Amino acid sequence: KFPAGHIIQMVGDTYNPASHIDIETSDTPLPLGSNVEVSITFKSTSNKFFAQMFIPDVYSLATTNYLNCGFQYSTDNFGSGSVLGVQQVISDHVNYQGSTHNDLQPENYMTFGDVPTTTACKIRPYLKAVNGSVRINANNLGVYCLIVKEIQG
């Protein structure tokens, strides 16, 4: 057993599609699919997890469009998914603009909580467009990055 706070394991994934992705309000909230996904078998539900996601160049395409972000995990290869963390939306209203201009900004969000299962699972970013389309990796140059750590409880 490691001392409390010690990182037991860390997994990560990157994705460089060299093109943008438009997320529509009708799209599945897991639009990156297995392109950004980690597999992990947590050691104990007494431990903690830390999950972090970087999304390059979020562009709202219209002033009131925005992106809600979080994480989902699945023990059945996403036949079904469950919220990872205290709630589904960790970072909300990403790139919402209440004025007449739109900005281009990266998004880096994270969450921390109790390990939900010791069954082998996969974790993906949850991304949901609201009020209209949202473009990610708008400049076609960025690299997505997902990191998950298990921390001794």
Side-chain angles (χ1 to χ4, degrees), residues 2-138:
F2 295 104
H6 182 87
I7 296 172
I8 297 171
Q9 60 178 323
M10 181 172 83
V11 292
D13 193 18
T14 59
Y15 177 49
N16 182 1
S19 63
H20 67 270
I21 298 169
D22 288 342
I23 300 174
E24 307 296 333
T25 56
S26 60
D27 287 349
T28 171
L30 304 169
L32 298 174
S34 61
N35 291 315
V36 181
E37 174 183 272
V38 296
S39 297
I40 190 167
T41 303
F42 292 110
K43 306 294 184 202
S44 171
T45 55
S46 298
N47 292 335
K48 302 291 184 182
F49 75 87
F50 175 83
Q52 183 173 15
M53 180 68 191
F54 176 78
I55 304 169
D57 301 339
V58 179
Y59 183 60
S60 61
L61 296 171
T63 57
T64 61
N65 298 0
Y66 61 90
L67 195 61
N68 282 339
C69 305
F71 300 94
Q72 283 197 350
Y73 76 94
S74 176
T75 58
D76 65 359
N77 203 29
F78 285 94
S80 62
S82 300
V83 173
L84 182 66
V86 297
Q87 64 186 38
Q88 184 60 80
V89 177
I90 301 298
S91 183
D92 65 304
H93 285 75
V94 174
N95 246 37
Y96 176 86
Q97 300 294 321
S99 64
T100 59
H101 67 278
N102 298 325
D103 289 334
L104 183 66
Q105 301 173 1
E107 172 64 2
N108 186 32
Y109 65 96
M110 60 208 77
T111 191
F112 174 84
D114 296 327
V115 164
T117 183
T118 55
T119 302
C121 67
K122 295 182 178 187
I123 298 170
R124 294 179 180 173
Y126 170 96
L127 306 172
K128 185 67 179 162
V130 180
N131 291 339
S133 302
V134 176
R135 179 168 290 170
I136 55 178
N137 199 30

